[in-house]
């Protein structure tokens, strides 16, 4: 398997962005870049996919056959609000901070605030954990169905991602760039 295929496969199947880059780099430089690119594309699509799932769930899954059509308010209630924060932060940095201060200044600020951002990230995940109720979670794990679903889903993801990466990047459909051979 060439480096593009292996990098894309790693990027599409490993959850943590840092682990994706590390795993890709162990295969080679091209694989590391391909893995990072695929993971960045996945991260950018999280909001779009979450919105599509919210639409599907409100209008198809939970809708009773004879019930009136759900209101858009229901979609707003279900929409993960972090998506709006990501979009706002991206627009703010891209169209306000970088043009006003320059890329070097923004990189300097990010460098200076790295420790604080790391702590805030830890606090955010700690806060998610504070809301966890393992007693309730234990009742949902009885019978092993969630574990089976997870294993089937992950296995499907691994096989599907390999098939798509191989079809798209092995030279079968598109020619392989000379750098990746």
């Amino acid at each position: 398997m060439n480096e593009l295929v292996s990098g894309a496969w790693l990027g599409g199947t490993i959850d943590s962005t840092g682990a994706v880059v590390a795993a890709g780099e162990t295969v080679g430089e091209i694989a590391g870049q391909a893995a990072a690119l695929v993971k960045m594309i996945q991260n950018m699509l999280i909001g779009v996919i979450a919105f599509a799932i919210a639409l599907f769930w409100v209008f198809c899954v939970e809708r009773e056959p004879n019930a009136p059509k759900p209101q858009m308010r229901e979609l707003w209630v279900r929409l993960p609000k972090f998506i709006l924060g990501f979009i706002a932060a991206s627009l703010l940095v891209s169209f306000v901070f970088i043009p006003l201060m320059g890329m070097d200044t923004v990189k300097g600020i990010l460098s200076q605030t790295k420790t604080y951002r790391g702590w805030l990230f830890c606090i955010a995940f700690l806060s998610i954990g504070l809301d966890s109720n393992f007693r309730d979670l234990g009742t949902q794990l009885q019978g092993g169905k969630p574990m089976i679903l997870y294993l089937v889903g992950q296995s499907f993801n691994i096989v599907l991602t390999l098939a798509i990466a191989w079809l798209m990047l092995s030279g079968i459909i598109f020619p392989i760039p000379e750098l990746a051979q």
Side-chain angles (χ1 to χ4, degrees), residues 59-73:
F59 290 103
C60 298
V61 174
E62 290 185 345
R63 184 169 180 221
E64 296 294 326
N66 297 327
K69 187 176 180 181
Q71 301 294 318
M72 289 305 286
R73 169 122 174 80

Side-chain angles (χ1 to χ4, degrees), residues 14-168:
I14 298 173
D15 290 332
S16 170
T17 304
V20 163
V21 174
E25 289 291 326
T26 62
V27 175
E29 184 179 343
I30 299 291
Q33 292 174 1
L37 179 64
V38 168
K39 181 50 72 180
M40 282 188 276
I41 291 169
Q42 278 184 339
N43 291 343
M44 288 187 306
L45 291 175
I46 286 173
V48 174
I49 292 169
F51 183 73
I53 289 171
L55 279 175
F56 176 73
W57 208 262
V58 168
F59 290 103
C60 298
V61 174
E62 290 185 345
R63 184 169 180 221
E64 296 294 326
N66 297 327
K69 187 176 180 181
Q71 301 294 318
M72 289 305 286
R73 169 122 174 80
E74 182 66 22
L75 181 60
W76 174 253
V77 169
R78 303 279 182 108
L79 180 72
K81 306 303 185 286
F82 73 88
I83 296 168
L84 303 176
F86 282 150
I87 292 170
S90 178
L91 291 173
L92 193 65
V93 169
S94 298
F95 296 110
V96 177
F97 290 154
I98 291 176
L100 287 177
M101 297 187 287
M103 188 61 148
D104 291 337
T105 304
V106 170
K107 284 182 180 180
I109 291 170
L110 290 175
S111 173
Q112 293 293 319
T113 60
K114 183 177 181 179
T115 303
Y116 301 113
R117 289 183 291 118
W119 276 106
L120 291 173
F121 186 76
C122 289
I123 290 169
F125 274 90
L126 176 67
S127 298
I128 292 169
L130 290 174
D131 195 37
S132 300
N133 186 334
F134 291 104
R135 189 170 293 139
D136 287 345
L137 184 61
T139 62
Q140 295 177 16
L141 292 177
Q142 291 178 355
K145 288 182 182 179
M147 187 59 74
I148 292 168
L149 180 62
Y150 174 78
L151 291 173
V152 168
Q154 286 296 88
S155 298
F156 179 73
N157 180 37
I158 289 169
V159 171
L160 181 65
T161 303
L162 174 60
I164 291 172
W166 184 73
L167 277 172
M168 302 302 282

